[in-house]
Amino acid sequence: MPIDHKILHLDHNHCRAICDEIGERLREAMALKSVEMPPQLQRLIDRLDELDNVWSPGIVPSIEDAQESTILAVLEPA
């Protein structure tokens, strides 16, 4: 039976509750079928965990850098 999306109106709280319930049911279902993770995948996940603790520069310039480059662009003719 197709769902008429024009009639179905869910607010944020209901959508969140539905997502939480789906997640809980998936966790329960996956726990029953727990499978050993392949070693290569485990190494990659461990590496991601290591990289989370490593400082890296942001991709957005600092406000000071942005202000300085804006001032220079105004003062120096192209």
Side-chain angles (χ1 to χ4, degrees):
M1 179 174 168
I3 297 172
D4 185 359
H5 293 286
K6 294 177 185 173
I7 296 173
L8 183 63
H9 296 285
L10 297 174
D11 63 18
H12 174 75
N13 292 334
H14 285 98
C15 288
R16 184 76 259 153
I18 291 168
C19 289
D20 290 345
E21 182 65 24
I22 291 170
E24 184 61 34
R25 290 183 187 197
L26 282 172
R27 275 189 289 281
E28 289 175 9
M30 296 304 291
L32 298 174
K33 300 178 184 178
S34 66
V35 177
E36 185 83 21
M37 190 179 306
Q40 175 61 17
L41 182 57
Q42 185 62 52
R43 281 193 297 275
L44 291 172
I45 290 184
D46 292 342
R47 182 71 179 130
L48 282 174
D49 188 40
E50 291 171 16
L51 292 174
D52 274 346
N53 299 319
V54 174
W55 180 87
S56 62
I59 59 171
V60 178
S62 69
I63 190 71
E64 293 84 16
D65 292 341
Q67 288 173 341
E68 182 180 323
S69 63
T70 303
I71 291 169
L72 291 175
V74 171
L75 295 177
E76 295 176 358

Coordinates of all heavy atoms in Angstrom, one line a residue:
M1 N 0.8 -1.2 0.0 CA 0.0 0.0 0.0 C 0.9 1.2 0.0 O 1.6 1.5 0.9 CB -0.9 0.0 1.2 CG -1.8 1.1 1.4 SD -2.9 0.8 2.8 CE -3.5 2.4 3.0
P2 N 0.9 2.0 -1.0 CA 1.7 3.2 -1.1 C 1.3 4.3 -0.1 O 0.1 4.4 0.3 CB 1.5 3.8 -2.5 CG 0.3 3.1 -3.1 CD 0.1 1.9 -2.2
I3 N 2.3 5.0 0.4 CA 2.0 6.1 1.4 C 1.9 7.4 0.6 O 2.7 7.8 -0.2 CB 3.2 6.2 2.4 CG1 3.3 4.9 3.1 CG2 3.0 7.3 3.3 CD1 4.5 4.8 4.0
D4 N 0.9 8.2 0.9 CA 0.7 9.5 0.4 C 1.5 10.5 1.2 O 1.0 10.8 2.4 CB -0.8 9.9 0.3 CG -1.1 11.2 -0.4 OD1 -0.1 11.8 -0.8 OD2 -2.2 11.6 -0.5
H5 N 2.6 10.9 0.8 CA 3.5 11.8 1.5 C 2.9 13.2 1.8 O 3.3 13.9 2.7 CB 4.9 11.9 0.9 CG 5.6 10.6 0.8 ND1 6.2 10.1 2.0 CD2 5.8 9.7 -0.1 CE1 6.8 9.0 1.7 NE2 6.6 8.7 0.4
K6 N 1.9 13.5 1.0 CA 1.2 14.8 1.2 C 0.4 14.8 2.5 O 0.2 15.8 3.2 CB 0.3 15.2 0.0 CG 1.1 15.5 -1.2 CD 0.2 15.7 -2.4 CE 1.1 15.9 -3.7 NZ 0.3 16.0 -4.9
I7 N -0.1 13.6 2.8 CA -1.0 13.5 4.0 C -0.1 13.3 5.3 O -0.4 13.7 6.4 CB -2.0 12.3 3.9 CG1 -2.9 12.6 2.7 CG2 -2.7 12.1 5.1 CD1 -3.9 11.5 2.4
L8 N 1.0 12.6 5.1 CA 1.9 12.2 6.2 C 2.7 13.4 6.7 O 3.6 13.9 6.0 CB 2.8 11.1 5.8 CG 3.7 10.5 6.9 CD1 2.9 9.9 8.0 CD2 4.7 9.5 6.3
H9 N 2.4 14.0 7.8 CA 3.1 15.1 8.4 C 3.6 14.7 9.8 O 2.9 14.5 10.7 CB 2.2 16.3 8.5 CG 1.7 16.8 7.2 ND1 2.5 17.5 6.3 CD2 0.5 16.7 6.6 CE1 1.8 17.9 5.3 NE2 0.6 17.4 5.4
L10 N 4.9 14.6 9.9 CA 5.5 14.3 11.2 C 6.4 15.4 11.7 O 7.2 16.0 10.9 CB 6.4 13.0 11.0 CG 5.7 11.7 10.6 CD1 6.7 10.6 10.4 CD2 4.7 11.3 11.7
D11 N 6.3 15.8 12.9 CA 7.1 16.8 13.4 C 8.5 16.2 13.8 O 8.7 15.0 13.7 CB 6.5 17.5 14.6 CG 6.3 16.6 15.8 OD1 6.9 15.5 15.9 OD2 5.5 17.0 16.7
H12 N 9.4 17.1 14.2 CA 10.8 16.6 14.5 C 10.8 15.6 15.6 O 11.6 14.6 15.5 CB 11.6 17.8 14.9 CG 13.0 17.5 15.4 ND1 14.0 17.1 14.5 CD2 13.5 17.4 16.6 CE1 15.1 16.8 15.2 NE2 14.8 17.0 16.5
N13 N 10.0 15.7 16.7 CA 10.0 14.8 17.8 C 9.6 13.4 17.3 O 10.2 12.4 17.7 CB 9.1 15.3 18.9 CG 9.6 16.5 19.6 OD1 10.8 16.7 19.6 ND2 8.7 17.3 20.2
H14 N 8.5 13.3 16.5 CA 8.1 12.0 16.0 C 9.1 11.4 15.1 O 9.4 10.2 15.1 CB 6.7 12.1 15.3 CG 5.6 12.3 16.2 ND1 5.1 13.5 16.5 CD2 4.9 11.4 16.9 CE1 4.1 13.4 17.3 NE2 4.0 12.1 17.6
C15 N 9.7 12.2 14.2 CA 10.8 11.6 13.3 C 11.9 11.1 14.1 O 12.5 10.0 13.8 CB 11.3 12.7 12.3 SG 10.1 13.2 11.1
R16 N 12.4 11.9 15.1 CA 13.5 11.4 16.0 C 13.1 10.1 16.7 O 13.9 9.2 16.8 CB 13.8 12.5 17.0 CG 14.9 12.3 17.9 CD 16.3 12.5 17.2 NE 16.8 11.2 16.8 CZ 17.6 10.9 15.8 NH1 17.9 11.9 15.0 NH2 18.0 9.7 15.5
A17 N 11.9 10.0 17.2 CA 11.5 8.8 17.9 C 11.5 7.6 17.0 O 11.9 6.5 17.4 CB 10.1 9.0 18.5
I18 N 11.0 7.8 15.7 CA 11.0 6.7 14.8 C 12.5 6.3 14.4 O 12.8 5.1 14.4 CB 10.3 7.1 13.5 CG1 8.8 7.3 13.8 CG2 10.5 6.1 12.3 CD1 8.0 7.9 12.7
C19 N 13.4 7.2 14.2 CA 14.8 6.9 13.9 C 15.4 6.2 15.1 O 16.1 5.2 14.9 CB 15.5 8.2 13.6 SG 15.1 8.9 12.0
D20 N 15.1 6.6 16.3 CA 15.7 6.0 17.5 C 15.2 4.5 17.6 O 15.9 3.6 18.0 CB 15.3 6.8 18.8 CG 16.0 8.1 18.9 OD1 17.0 8.3 18.2 OD2 15.6 8.9 19.7
E21 N 13.9 4.3 17.4 CA 13.3 3.0 17.5 C 13.9 2.1 16.4 O 14.3 0.9 16.7 CB 11.8 3.0 17.3 CG 11.1 1.7 17.4 CD 11.3 1.1 18.8 OE1 11.4 1.8 19.8 OE2 11.2 -0.2 18.9
I22 N 14.1 2.6 15.2 CA 14.7 1.8 14.1 C 16.2 1.4 14.5 O 16.6 0.3 14.4 CB 14.7 2.5 12.8 CG1 13.3 2.6 12.3 CG2 15.6 1.9 11.7 CD1 13.1 3.5 11.1
G23 N 16.9 2.4 15.1 CA 18.3 2.1 15.5 C 18.3 1.1 16.6 O 19.2 0.2 16.6
E24 N 17.4 1.2 17.6 CA 17.4 0.2 18.6 C 17.1 -1.2 18.1 O 17.7 -2.2 18.5 CB 16.3 0.6 19.7 CG 16.3 -0.3 20.9 CD 17.6 -0.3 21.7 OE1 18.3 0.8 21.7 OE2 17.9 -1.3 22.2
R25 N 16.1 -1.3 17.2 CA 15.8 -2.6 16.7 C 17.0 -3.2 15.8 O 17.2 -4.4 15.9 CB 14.5 -2.6 15.8 CG 13.3 -2.3 16.7 CD 12.1 -2.3 15.9 NE 10.9 -2.0 16.7 CZ 9.7 -2.2 16.3 NH1 9.4 -2.8 15.2 NH2 8.7 -1.8 17.1
L26 N 17.7 -2.3 15.1 CA 18.8 -2.8 14.3 C 19.9 -3.3 15.3 O 20.6 -4.3 15.0 CB 19.4 -1.7 13.4 CG 18.6 -1.4 12.2 CD1 19.1 -0.2 11.5 CD2 18.7 -2.6 11.2
R27 N 20.2 -2.5 16.4 CA 21.2 -2.9 17.3 C 20.9 -4.3 17.9 O 21.8 -5.2 18.0 CB 21.3 -1.9 18.4 CG 22.3 -0.8 18.1 CD 22.5 0.1 19.3 NE 21.4 0.9 19.7 CZ 21.0 2.0 19.1 NH1 21.6 2.5 18.1 NH2 19.9 2.7 19.6
E28 N 19.6 -4.5 18.3 CA 19.2 -5.8 18.8 C 19.4 -6.9 17.8 O 19.9 -8.0 18.1 CB 17.8 -5.7 19.3 CG 17.6 -4.9 20.5 CD 16.1 -4.8 20.9 OE1 15.3 -5.4 20.3 OE2 15.9 -4.0 21.8
A29 N 19.0 -6.6 16.5 CA 19.1 -7.7 15.5 C 20.5 -8.0 15.2 O 20.9 -9.1 15.0 CB 18.3 -7.2 14.2
M30 N 21.4 -7.0 15.1 CA 22.8 -7.2 14.8 C 23.5 -7.9 15.9 O 24.4 -8.7 15.7 CB 23.5 -5.8 14.5 CG 22.9 -5.1 13.3 SD 23.0 -6.2 11.8 CE 24.8 -6.2 11.5
A31 N 23.1 -7.7 17.2 CA 23.7 -8.3 18.3 C 23.5 -9.8 18.2 O 24.4 -10.6 18.6 CB 23.2 -7.8 19.6
L32 N 22.4 -10.2 17.7 CA 22.1 -11.7 17.6 C 22.9 -12.3 16.6 O 23.2 -13.5 16.6 CB 20.6 -11.9 17.3 CG 19.6 -11.3 18.3 CD1 18.1 -11.5 17.8 CD2 19.7 -12.1 19.6
K33 N 23.3 -11.6 15.5 CA 24.1 -12.1 14.4 C 25.5 -11.6 14.4 O 26.1 -11.4 13.4 CB 23.5 -11.8 13.1 CG 22.1 -12.3 12.9 CD 21.6 -11.8 11.6 CE 20.1 -12.1 11.4 NZ 19.6 -11.6 10.1
S34 N 26.1 -11.3 15.6 CA 27.4 -10.7 15.7 C 28.4 -11.6 14.9 O 28.5 -12.8 15.1 CB 27.9 -10.5 17.1 OG 28.1 -11.7 17.7
V35 N 29.1 -11.0 14.0 CA 30.1 -11.6 13.1 C 31.4 -11.0 13.4 O 31.5 -9.8 13.6 CB 29.7 -11.4 11.6 CG1 30.7 -12.0 10.7 CG2 28.3 -12.0 11.4
E36 N 32.4 -11.8 13.4 CA 33.8 -11.3 13.5 C 34.1 -10.3 12.4 O 33.9 -10.6 11.2 CB 34.8 -12.5 13.5 CG 36.2 -12.2 13.8 CD 36.5 -12.1 15.3 OE1 35.7 -12.7 16.0 OE2 37.4 -11.5 15.6
M37 N 34.7 -9.2 12.8 CA 35.0 -8.2 11.9 C 36.3 -8.6 11.2 O 37.3 -9.0 11.8 CB 35.2 -6.8 12.5 CG 35.4 -5.7 11.6 SD 35.6 -4.1 12.4 CE 34.2 -4.0 13.4
P38 N 36.4 -8.5 9.9 CA 37.7 -8.8 9.2 C 38.8 -8.0 9.7 O 38.6 -6.8 10.0 CB 37.4 -8.4 7.7 CG 35.9 -8.4 7.6 CD 35.4 -8.0 8.9
P39 N 40.0 -8.5 9.8 CA 41.2 -7.8 10.4 C 41.5 -6.5 9.7 O 41.8 -5.5 10.4 CB 42.3 -8.8 10.3 CG 41.7 -10.2 10.1 CD 40.3 -9.9 9.4
Q40 N 41.4 -6.5 8.4 CA 41.7 -5.3 7.7 C 40.8 -4.1 8.0 O 41.2 -3.0 8.3 CB 41.7 -5.5 6.1 CG 41.9 -4.3 5.3 CD 43.3 -3.6 5.5 OE1 44.2 -4.2 6.1 NE2 43.4 -2.3 5.1
L41 N 39.5 -4.5 8.1 CA 38.5 -3.5 8.5 C 38.7 -3.0 10.0 O 38.6 -1.8 10.3 CB 37.1 -4.0 8.4 CG 35.9 -3.1 8.7 CD1 36.0 -1.8 7.8 CD2 34.6 -3.8 8.4
Q42 N 39.1 -3.9 10.9 CA 39.4 -3.6 12.2 C 40.6 -2.6 12.3 O 40.6 -1.7 13.1 CB 39.6 -4.8 13.1 CG 39.8 -4.5 14.6 CD 38.6 -3.8 15.2 OE1 37.5 -4.3 15.1 NE2 38.8 -2.7 15.9
R43 N 41.6 -2.9 11.5 CA 42.8 -2.0 11.5 C 42.4 -0.6 11.0 O 42.9 0.4 11.5 CB 43.9 -2.6 10.6 CG 44.7 -3.7 11.3 CD 45.9 -4.0 10.5 NE 45.7 -4.5 9.1 CZ 45.4 -5.8 8.9 NH1 45.4 -6.7 9.9 NH2 45.2 -6.2 7.7
L44 N 41.5 -0.5 10.0 CA 41.1 0.8 9.5 C 40.3 1.6 10.5 O 40.5 2.8 10.7 CB 40.3 0.6 8.2 CG 41.1 0.1 7.0 CD1 40.1 -0.2 5.8 CD2 42.1 1.1 6.6
I45 N 39.4 0.9 11.2 CA 38.6 1.5 12.3 C 39.5 2.0 13.4 O 39.4 3.1 13.9 CB 37.5 0.6 12.8 CG1 36.5 0.4 11.6 CG2 36.9 1.1 14.0 CD1 35.3 -0.4 11.9
D46 N 40.5 1.2 13.8 CA 41.5 1.6 14.8 C 42.3 2.8 14.4 O 42.5 3.7 15.2 CB 42.4 0.4 15.1 CG 41.7 -0.8 15.8 OD1 40.6 -0.6 16.3 OD2 42.3 -1.9 15.8
R47 N 42.6 2.8 13.1 CA 43.4 4.0 12.6 C 42.5 5.2 12.6 O 43.0 6.3 13.0 CB 43.8 3.7 11.1 CG 44.6 4.8 10.5 CD 46.0 4.8 11.1 NE 46.8 5.9 10.4 CZ 47.4 6.8 11.0 NH1 47.5 6.8 12.3 NH2 48.0 7.7 10.3
L48 N 41.2 5.1 12.3 CA 40.4 6.3 12.4 C 40.3 6.8 13.9 O 40.3 8.0 14.1 CB 38.9 5.9 12.0 CG 38.7 5.9 10.5 CD1 37.3 5.4 10.2 CD2 38.9 7.2 9.8
D49 N 40.3 5.9 14.8 CA 40.3 6.3 16.2 C 41.6 7.0 16.6 O 41.5 8.0 17.3 CB 40.1 5.0 17.1 CG 39.9 5.4 18.5 OD1 39.2 6.4 18.8 OD2 40.4 4.7 19.4
E50 N 42.7 6.5 16.1 CA 44.0 7.2 16.3 C 44.0 8.6 15.7 O 44.4 9.6 16.3 CB 45.1 6.4 15.7 CG 45.4 5.1 16.4 CD 46.4 4.3 15.5 OE1 47.1 4.8 14.7 OE2 46.5 3.1 15.8
L51 N 43.5 8.7 14.5 CA 43.5 10.0 13.8 C 42.5 11.0 14.5 O 42.8 12.2 14.3 CB 43.1 9.9 12.3 CG 44.2 9.1 11.5 CD1 43.6 8.9 10.1 CD2 45.5 9.8 11.5
D52 N 41.5 10.6 15.2 CA 40.6 11.5 15.9 C 41.4 12.3 16.9 O 41.0 13.4 17.3 CB 39.5 10.7 16.5 CG 38.3 10.5 15.6 OD1 38.3 11.2 14.5 OD2 37.5 9.7 15.9
N53 N 42.5 11.7 17.4 CA 43.2 12.4 18.5 C 44.4 13.2 18.0 O 45.2 13.6 18.8 CB 43.7 11.3 19.5 CG 42.5 10.6 20.1 OD1 41.5 11.2 20.5 ND2 42.7 9.3 20.3
V54 N 44.5 13.3 16.7 CA 45.7 14.1 16.1 C 45.2 15.4 15.7 O 44.1 15.6 15.0 CB 46.2 13.3 14.9 CG1 47.3 14.1 14.2 CG2 46.7 11.9 15.3
W55 N 45.9 16.5 16.1 CA 45.6 17.8 15.7 C 45.8 18.0 14.2 O 46.8 17.5 13.6 CB 46.4 18.9 16.4 CG 46.0 20.2 16.0 CD1 45.0 21.0 16.6 CD2 46.6 21.1 15.0 NE1 45.0 22.2 16.0 CE2 45.9 22.3 15.0 CE3 47.6 20.9 14.1 CZ2 46.2 23.3 14.1 CZ3 47.9 21.9 13.2 CH2 47.2 23.1 13.3
S56 N 44.9 18.7 13.5 CA 45.1 19.0 12.1 C 44.5 20.4 11.9 O 43.6 20.8 12.6 CB 44.4 18.0 11.2 OG 43.0 18.0 11.4
P57 N 45.1 21.2 11.0 CA 44.6 22.5 10.8 C 43.2 22.5 10.2 O 42.8 21.6 9.4 CB 45.6 23.1 9.8 CG 46.2 22.0 9.1 CD 46.2 20.8 10.1
G58 N 42.4 23.5 10.5 CA 41.1 23.7 9.9 C 41.1 24.1 8.5 O 42.1 24.6 8.0
I59 N 40.1 23.9 7.8 CA 40.0 24.3 6.4 C 39.5 25.7 6.3 O 39.5 26.3 5.2 CB 39.2 23.3 5.5 CG1 37.8 23.2 6.1 CG2 39.8 22.0 5.5 CD1 36.8 22.5 5.1
V60 N 38.9 26.3 7.3 CA 38.4 27.6 7.3 C 39.5 28.5 7.9 O 40.0 28.3 9.0 CB 37.1 27.7 8.2 CG1 36.6 29.1 8.2 CG2 36.1 26.7 7.6
P61 N 39.8 29.7 7.2 CA 40.8 30.5 7.8 C 40.3 31.2 9.1 O 39.1 31.3 9.3 CB 41.0 31.6 6.7 CG 39.7 31.5 5.9 CD 39.2 30.1 6.0
S62 N 41.3 31.5 9.9 CA 40.9 32.2 11.2 C 40.4 33.6 10.8 O 40.6 34.1 9.8 CB 42.1 32.3 12.1 OG 43.0 33.2 11.5
I63 N 39.7 34.2 11.8 CA 39.1 35.5 11.5 C 40.2 36.5 11.3 O 40.0 37.5 10.5 CB 38.1 35.9 12.7 CG1 37.3 37.2 12.3 CG2 38.9 36.1 14.0 CD1 36.3 36.9 11.3
E64 N 41.3 36.4 12.0 CA 42.4 37.3 11.9 C 43.0 37.3 10.4 O 43.2 38.3 9.8 CB 43.5 37.1 12.9 CG 43.2 37.4 14.3 CD 42.4 36.2 15.0 OE1 42.5 35.0 14.4 OE2 41.8 36.4 16.0
D65 N 43.2 36.0 9.9 CA 43.7 35.9 8.6 C 42.7 36.4 7.5 O 43.1 37.1 6.6 CB 43.9 34.4 8.2 CG 45.1 33.8 9.0 OD1 45.9 34.6 9.6 OD2 45.2 32.6 9.1
A66 N 41.4 36.2 7.7 CA 40.4 36.7 6.8 C 40.4 38.2 6.8 O 40.3 38.9 5.8 CB 39.0 36.1 7.2
Q67 N 40.5 38.8 8.0 CA 40.4 40.3 8.1 C 41.7 40.9 7.4 O 41.6 41.9 6.7 CB 40.3 40.7 9.5 CG 39.0 40.5 10.1 CD 39.0 40.8 11.6 OE1 40.0 40.8 12.3 NE2 37.8 40.9 12.2
E68 N 42.8 40.3 7.7 CA 44.1 40.8 7.1 C 44.1 40.7 5.6 O 44.4 41.6 4.9 CB 45.3 40.0 7.6 CG 46.6 40.5 7.1 CD 47.8 39.7 7.7 OE1 47.7 39.3 8.9 OE2 48.7 39.4 6.9
S69 N 43.6 39.6 5.0 CA 43.6 39.5 3.6 C 42.5 40.4 2.9 O 42.8 40.9 1.8 CB 43.2 38.0 3.1 OG 42.0 37.6 3.6
T70 N 41.4 40.7 3.6 CA 40.5 41.6 3.1 C 41.0 43.0 3.1 O 40.9 43.8 2.2 CB 39.2 41.6 4.0 OG1 38.7 40.3 4.0 CG2 38.1 42.6 3.5
I71 N 41.7 43.4 4.2 CA 42.4 44.7 4.3 C 43.4 44.9 3.2 O 43.4 45.9 2.5 CB 43.0 45.0 5.7 CG1 41.9 45.1 6.7 CG2 43.9 46.2 5.7 CD1 42.4 45.0 8.2
L72 N 44.2 43.9 3.0 CA 45.2 44.0 1.9 C 44.6 44.1 0.5 O 45.1 44.8 -0.3 CB 46.2 42.8 2.0 CG 47.1 42.7 3.2 CD1 47.9 41.4 3.2 CD2 48.0 43.9 3.2
A73 N 43.5 43.4 0.3 CA 42.8 43.4 -1.0 C 42.3 44.8 -1.3 O 42.3 45.3 -2.4 CB 41.7 42.4 -1.0
V74 N 41.8 45.5 -0.2 CA 41.3 46.8 -0.4 C 42.4 47.8 -0.6 O 42.3 48.8 -1.4 CB 40.4 47.2 0.8 CG1 40.0 48.7 0.8 CG2 39.2 46.3 0.9
L75 N 43.5 47.7 0.1 CA 44.6 48.7 0.1 C 45.5 48.5 -1.2 O 46.0 49.5 -1.7 CB 45.5 48.6 1.3 CG 44.8 48.9 2.7 CD1 45.7 48.7 3.8 CD2 44.3 50.4 2.6
E76 N 45.6 47.3 -1.6 CA 46.5 47.1 -2.8 C 45.7 47.0 -4.1 O 44.8 46.2 -4.2 CB 47.3 45.8 -2.6 CG 48.3 45.9 -1.4 CD 49.0 44.5 -1.2 OE1 48.7 43.6 -1.9 OE2 49.8 44.5 -0.3
P77 N 46.0 47.8 -5.1 CA 45.2 47.8 -6.3 C 45.6 46.5 -7.0 O 46.6 45.9 -6.9 CB 45.7 49.0 -7.1 CG 47.0 49.4 -6.5 CD 47.0 48.9 -5.1
A78 N 44.6 46.0 -7.8 CA 44.8 44.7 -8.5 C 45.7 44.9 -9.7 O 46.0 45.8 -10.3 CB 43.4 44.2 -9.0

